[in-house]
Amino acid sequence: GQNIDQPTEMTATEGAIVQINCTYQTSGFNGLFWYQQHAGEAPTFLSYNVLDGLEEKGRFSSFLSRSKGYSYLLLKELQMKDSASYLCALNAGNNRKLIWGLGTSLAVNP
Amino acid sequence: DGGITQSPKYLFRKEGQNVTLSCEQNLNHDAMYWYRQDPGQGLRLIYYSQIVNDFQKGDIAEGYSVSREKKESFPLTVTSAQKNPTAFYLCATMEQGSYNEQFFGPGTRLTVL
């Protein structure tokens, strides 16, 4: 079967760096998404990793290790507006469905 | 502007009433999805449709129904059979041939009193 695991909650300080981990088990793998979701709003796309390695996009970076079933989202120079839920999602099959993690709620404190 | 519209943002209904949530898109995307999200939870798939006049059950379809008569529209009906309908409902779309990125509407928060 398919399974995704993320920490439920994290806290960090404004200006710091935080790493949000996502581990998964799946028989098929096409890629892994990270989405950001502010409370009461829609998820928005952050990144998509297909190959192993780190992809950097401004203050946000995403890493993937396919052999280890592991990804992380790295947020640098944290700002208060980064307080949100971060969802990890697997693109695992040919049926055009995503498998969603439960999300990590990040609180950024001053 | 291209986008996904869900209306209304907030919806209140009495217990025992059916209610239909709208989802309209002008992105020309083929696939559309309905998710339910409860506080502190991830997204759970209710129904999805990959093409007009066809749809499939997701993980929690019981108590819900959908139709896909037009490419642009994918309404979700929450029936009285749904035991715990109060939740945040999100509609999403996906473009054919894409790498499966999903685009989301703003969501409807349904409260059943």
Side-chain angles (χ1 to χ4, degrees), chain B residues 81-105:
Chain B
Q82 168 50 232
K83 290 184 172 33
N84 190 15
T86 295
F88 187 47
Y89 290 88
L90 285 159
C91 176
T93 69
M94 182 190 296
E95 184 177 19
Q96 185 176 12
S98 75
Y99 53 91
N100 286 3
E101 179 184 349
Q102 292 190 1
F103 299 82
F104 287 85

mmCIF file of all heavy atoms in Angstrom, chain B residues 81-105:
data_model
loop_
_atom_site.group_PDB
_atom_site.id
_atom_site.type_symbol
_atom_site.label_atom_id
_atom_site.label_comp_id
_atom_site.label_asym_id
_atom_site.label_seq_id
_atom_site.Cartn_x
_atom_site.Cartn_y
_atom_site.Cartn_z
ATOM 1 N N ALA B 81 -27.637 11.523 4.230
ATOM 2 C CA ALA B 81 -27.026 10.260 4.654
ATOM 3 C C ALA B 81 -25.608 10.446 5.177
ATOM 4 O O ALA B 81 -25.056 9.551 5.821
ATOM 5 C CB ALA B 81 -27.012 9.274 3.486
ATOM 6 N N GLN B 82 -25.029 11.608 4.900
ATOM 7 C CA GLN B 82 -23.666 11.882 5.389
ATOM 8 C C GLN B 82 -23.766 12.198 6.880
ATOM 9 O O GLN B 82 -24.372 13.210 7.269
ATOM 10 C CB GLN B 82 -23.043 13.035 4.613
ATOM 11 C CG GLN B 82 -21.749 13.615 5.201
ATOM 12 C CD GLN B 82 -20.693 12.603 5.546
ATOM 13 O OE1 GLN B 82 -20.178 12.596 6.657
ATOM 14 N NE2 GLN B 82 -20.371 11.729 4.616
ATOM 15 N N LYS B 83 -23.164 11.379 7.701
ATOM 16 C CA LYS B 83 -23.386 11.458 9.144
ATOM 17 C C LYS B 83 -22.731 12.657 9.804
ATOM 18 O O LYS B 83 -23.194 13.143 10.835
ATOM 19 C CB LYS B 83 -22.880 10.171 9.797
ATOM 20 C CG LYS B 83 -23.729 8.957 9.466
ATOM 21 C CD LYS B 83 -23.263 7.725 10.201
ATOM 22 C CE LYS B 83 -24.188 6.539 10.039
ATOM 23 N NZ LYS B 83 -24.871 6.424 8.767
ATOM 24 N N ASN B 84 -21.655 13.136 9.254
ATOM 25 C CA ASN B 84 -20.931 14.238 9.888
ATOM 26 C C ASN B 84 -20.475 15.221 8.813
ATOM 27 O O ASN B 84 -19.296 15.284 8.490
ATOM 28 C CB ASN B 84 -19.741 13.670 10.662
ATOM 29 C CG ASN B 84 -19.085 14.721 11.527
ATOM 30 O OD1 ASN B 84 -19.654 15.781 11.769
ATOM 31 N ND2 ASN B 84 -17.886 14.437 11.974
ATOM 32 N N PRO B 85 -21.400 15.984 8.243
ATOM 33 C CA PRO B 85 -21.076 16.779 7.058
ATOM 34 C C PRO B 85 -20.338 18.091 7.321
ATOM 35 O O PRO B 85 -19.805 18.676 6.383
ATOM 36 C CB PRO B 85 -22.460 17.067 6.452
ATOM 37 C CG PRO B 85 -23.375 17.041 7.628
ATOM 38 C CD PRO B 85 -22.825 16.025 8.576
ATOM 39 N N THR B 86 -20.309 18.557 8.550
ATOM 40 C CA THR B 86 -19.632 19.832 8.829
ATOM 41 C C THR B 86 -18.145 19.694 8.567
ATOM 42 O O THR B 86 -17.468 18.873 9.190
ATOM 43 C CB THR B 86 -19.886 20.248 10.281
ATOM 44 O OG1 THR B 86 -21.278 20.522 10.451
ATOM 45 C CG2 THR B 86 -19.084 21.485 10.640
ATOM 46 N N ALA B 87 -17.629 20.486 7.612
ATOM 47 C CA ALA B 87 -16.226 20.380 7.215
ATOM 48 C C ALA B 87 -15.920 21.489 6.222
ATOM 49 O O ALA B 87 -16.803 22.241 5.792
ATOM 50 C CB ALA B 87 -15.934 19.018 6.580
ATOM 51 N N PHE B 88 -14.659 21.553 5.831
ATOM 52 C CA PHE B 88 -14.175 22.461 4.792
ATOM 53 C C PHE B 88 -14.049 21.630 3.515
ATOM 54 O O PHE B 88 -13.385 20.592 3.506
ATOM 55 C CB PHE B 88 -12.825 23.029 5.230
ATOM 56 C CG PHE B 88 -12.272 24.111 4.343
ATOM 57 C CD1 PHE B 88 -13.063 25.164 3.918
ATOM 58 C CD2 PHE B 88 -10.936 24.085 3.969
ATOM 59 C CE1 PHE B 88 -12.544 26.177 3.122
ATOM 60 C CE2 PHE B 88 -10.405 25.102 3.168
ATOM 61 C CZ PHE B 88 -11.205 26.138 2.746
ATOM 62 N N TYR B 89 -14.724 22.062 2.439
ATOM 63 C CA TYR B 89 -14.743 21.305 1.189
ATOM 64 C C TYR B 89 -13.937 22.040 0.125
ATOM 65 O O TYR B 89 -14.180 23.220 -0.152
ATOM 66 C CB TYR B 89 -16.179 21.087 0.713
ATOM 67 C CG TYR B 89 -16.930 20.126 1.608
ATOM 68 C CD1 TYR B 89 -17.614 20.580 2.738
ATOM 69 C CD2 TYR B 89 -16.944 18.768 1.333
ATOM 70 C CE1 TYR B 89 -18.285 19.686 3.568
ATOM 71 C CE2 TYR B 89 -17.617 17.873 2.154
ATOM 72 C CZ TYR B 89 -18.278 18.350 3.275
ATOM 73 O OH TYR B 89 -18.947 17.465 4.087
ATOM 74 N N LEU B 90 -13.009 21.322 -0.464
ATOM 75 C CA LEU B 90 -12.121 21.902 -1.479
ATOM 76 C C LEU B 90 -12.313 21.197 -2.813
ATOM 77 O O LEU B 90 -12.347 19.972 -2.886
ATOM 78 C CB LEU B 90 -10.663 21.753 -1.053
ATOM 79 C CG LEU B 90 -10.200 22.710 0.043
ATOM 80 C CD1 LEU B 90 -8.969 22.171 0.730
ATOM 81 C CD2 LEU B 90 -9.918 24.084 -0.531
ATOM 82 N N CYS B 91 -12.417 21.992 -3.852
ATOM 83 C CA CYS B 91 -12.490 21.484 -5.220
ATOM 84 C C CYS B 91 -11.124 21.728 -5.871
ATOM 85 O O CYS B 91 -10.486 22.763 -5.615
ATOM 86 C CB CYS B 91 -13.588 22.227 -5.966
ATOM 87 S SG CYS B 91 -13.741 21.806 -7.703
ATOM 88 N N ALA B 92 -10.675 20.798 -6.689
ATOM 89 C CA ALA B 92 -9.384 20.944 -7.365
ATOM 90 C C ALA B 92 -9.502 20.487 -8.809
ATOM 91 O O ALA B 92 -10.408 19.734 -9.171
ATOM 92 C CB ALA B 92 -8.308 20.141 -6.641
ATOM 93 N N THR B 93 -8.581 20.951 -9.635
ATOM 94 C CA THR B 93 -8.528 20.536 -11.030
ATOM 95 C C THR B 93 -7.120 20.103 -11.388
ATOM 96 O O THR B 93 -6.152 20.415 -10.688
ATOM 97 C CB THR B 93 -8.951 21.670 -11.995
ATOM 98 O OG1 THR B 93 -7.941 22.697 -11.972
ATOM 99 C CG2 THR B 93 -10.286 22.261 -11.612
ATOM 100 N N MET B 94 -7.032 19.367 -12.500
ATOM 101 C CA MET B 94 -5.735 18.933 -12.995
ATOM 102 C C MET B 94 -5.789 18.931 -14.520
ATOM 103 O O MET B 94 -6.775 18.517 -15.120
ATOM 104 C CB MET B 94 -5.404 17.529 -12.499
ATOM 105 C CG MET B 94 -4.052 17.014 -12.930
ATOM 106 S SD MET B 94 -3.858 15.255 -12.555
ATOM 107 C CE MET B 94 -3.927 15.289 -10.776
ATOM 108 N N GLU B 95 -4.713 19.382 -15.133
ATOM 109 C CA GLU B 95 -4.650 19.460 -16.581
ATOM 110 C C GLU B 95 -4.186 18.133 -17.173
ATOM 111 O O GLU B 95 -3.265 17.504 -16.644
ATOM 112 C CB GLU B 95 -3.673 20.567 -16.976
ATOM 113 C CG GLU B 95 -3.580 20.838 -18.456
ATOM 114 C CD GLU B 95 -2.645 22.001 -18.744
ATOM 115 O OE1 GLU B 95 -1.832 22.336 -17.868
ATOM 116 O OE2 GLU B 95 -2.714 22.553 -19.845
ATOM 117 N N GLN B 96 -4.814 17.709 -18.264
ATOM 118 C CA GLN B 96 -4.401 16.476 -18.927
ATOM 119 C C GLN B 96 -2.976 16.612 -19.441
ATOM 120 O O GLN B 96 -2.609 17.660 -19.985
ATOM 121 C CB GLN B 96 -5.325 16.169 -20.095
ATOM 122 C CG GLN B 96 -5.034 14.832 -20.766
ATOM 123 C CD GLN B 96 -6.028 14.523 -21.857
ATOM 124 O OE1 GLN B 96 -6.803 15.381 -22.265
ATOM 125 N NE2 GLN B 96 -6.031 13.300 -22.332
ATOM 126 N N GLY B 97 -2.175 15.572 -19.243
ATOM 127 C CA GLY B 97 -0.809 15.590 -19.715
ATOM 128 C C GLY B 97 0.150 16.283 -18.777
ATOM 129 O O GLY B 97 1.340 16.346 -19.038
ATOM 130 N N SER B 98 -0.372 16.828 -17.680
ATOM 131 C CA SER B 98 0.511 17.496 -16.720
ATOM 132 C C SER B 98 1.159 16.456 -15.819
ATOM 133 O O SER B 98 0.890 15.257 -15.921
ATOM 134 C CB SER B 98 -0.284 18.483 -15.873
ATOM 135 O OG SER B 98 -1.059 17.786 -14.911
ATOM 136 N N TYR B 99 2.013 16.920 -14.927
ATOM 137 C CA TYR B 99 2.647 16.005 -13.976
ATOM 138 C C TYR B 99 1.805 15.830 -12.716
ATOM 139 O O TYR B 99 2.300 15.450 -11.685
ATOM 140 C CB TYR B 99 4.057 16.504 -13.632
ATOM 141 C CG TYR B 99 4.112 17.924 -13.152
ATOM 142 C CD1 TYR B 99 4.013 18.241 -11.812
ATOM 143 C CD2 TYR B 99 4.256 18.966 -14.051
ATOM 144 C CE1 TYR B 99 4.066 19.543 -11.366
ATOM 145 C CE2 TYR B 99 4.302 20.278 -13.622
ATOM 146 C CZ TYR B 99 4.213 20.559 -12.280
ATOM 147 O OH TYR B 99 4.253 21.854 -11.862
ATOM 148 N N ASN B 100 0.525 16.072 -12.850
ATOM 149 C CA ASN B 100 -0.444 15.845 -11.779
ATOM 150 C C ASN B 100 -0.482 16.947 -10.726
ATOM 151 O O ASN B 100 -0.949 16.707 -9.619
ATOM 152 C CB ASN B 100 -0.260 14.477 -11.108
ATOM 153 C CG ASN B 100 -0.746 13.348 -11.996
ATOM 154 O OD1 ASN B 100 -1.161 13.574 -13.128
ATOM 155 N ND2 ASN B 100 -0.702 12.137 -11.487
ATOM 156 N N GLU B 101 -0.007 18.147 -11.054
ATOM 157 C CA GLU B 101 -0.211 19.262 -10.130
ATOM 158 C C GLU B 101 -1.694 19.563 -10.054
ATOM 159 O O GLU B 101 -2.378 19.657 -11.079
ATOM 160 C CB GLU B 101 0.531 20.518 -10.576
ATOM 161 C CG GLU B 101 0.310 21.693 -9.630
ATOM 162 C CD GLU B 101 0.961 22.975 -10.095
ATOM 163 O OE1 GLU B 101 1.760 22.933 -11.046
ATOM 164 O OE2 GLU B 101 0.664 24.024 -9.488
ATOM 165 N N GLN B 102 -2.179 19.718 -8.838
ATOM 166 C CA GLN B 102 -3.583 20.063 -8.648
ATOM 167 C C GLN B 102 -3.706 21.529 -8.252
ATOM 168 O O GLN B 102 -2.906 22.047 -7.464
ATOM 169 C CB GLN B 102 -4.225 19.160 -7.601
ATOM 170 C CG GLN B 102 -4.329 17.714 -8.081
ATOM 171 C CD GLN B 102 -5.154 16.825 -7.187
ATOM 172 O OE1 GLN B 102 -5.699 17.244 -6.179
ATOM 173 N NE2 GLN B 102 -5.252 15.551 -7.568
ATOM 174 N N PHE B 103 -4.731 22.164 -8.810
ATOM 175 C CA PHE B 103 -5.024 23.562 -8.544
ATOM 176 C C PHE B 103 -6.328 23.607 -7.749
ATOM 177 O O PHE B 103 -7.288 22.940 -8.114
ATOM 178 C CB PHE B 103 -5.182 24.332 -9.852
ATOM 179 C CG PHE B 103 -3.946 24.331 -10.699
ATOM 180 C CD1 PHE B 103 -3.644 23.254 -11.517
ATOM 181 C CD2 PHE B 103 -3.066 25.404 -10.664
ATOM 182 C CE1 PHE B 103 -2.486 23.241 -12.294
ATOM 183 C CE2 PHE B 103 -1.917 25.401 -11.442
ATOM 184 C CZ PHE B 103 -1.625 24.324 -12.260
ATOM 185 N N PHE B 104 -6.357 24.432 -6.721
ATOM 186 C CA PHE B 104 -7.479 24.407 -5.801
ATOM 187 C C PHE B 104 -8.335 25.668 -5.876
ATOM 188 O O PHE B 104 -7.837 26.778 -6.081
ATOM 189 C CB PHE B 104 -6.974 24.260 -4.364
ATOM 190 C CG PHE B 104 -6.468 22.885 -4.060
ATOM 191 C CD1 PHE B 104 -5.158 22.532 -4.365
ATOM 192 C CD2 PHE B 104 -7.294 21.934 -3.500
ATOM 193 C CE1 PHE B 104 -4.693 21.254 -4.102
ATOM 194 C CE2 PHE B 104 -6.848 20.657 -3.231
ATOM 195 C CZ PHE B 104 -5.537 20.311 -3.535
ATOM 196 N N GLY B 105 -9.633 25.457 -5.672
ATOM 197 C CA GLY B 105 -10.539 26.563 -5.458
ATOM 198 C C GLY B 105 -10.413 27.057 -4.031
ATOM 199 O O GLY B 105 -9.714 26.453 -3.217
#
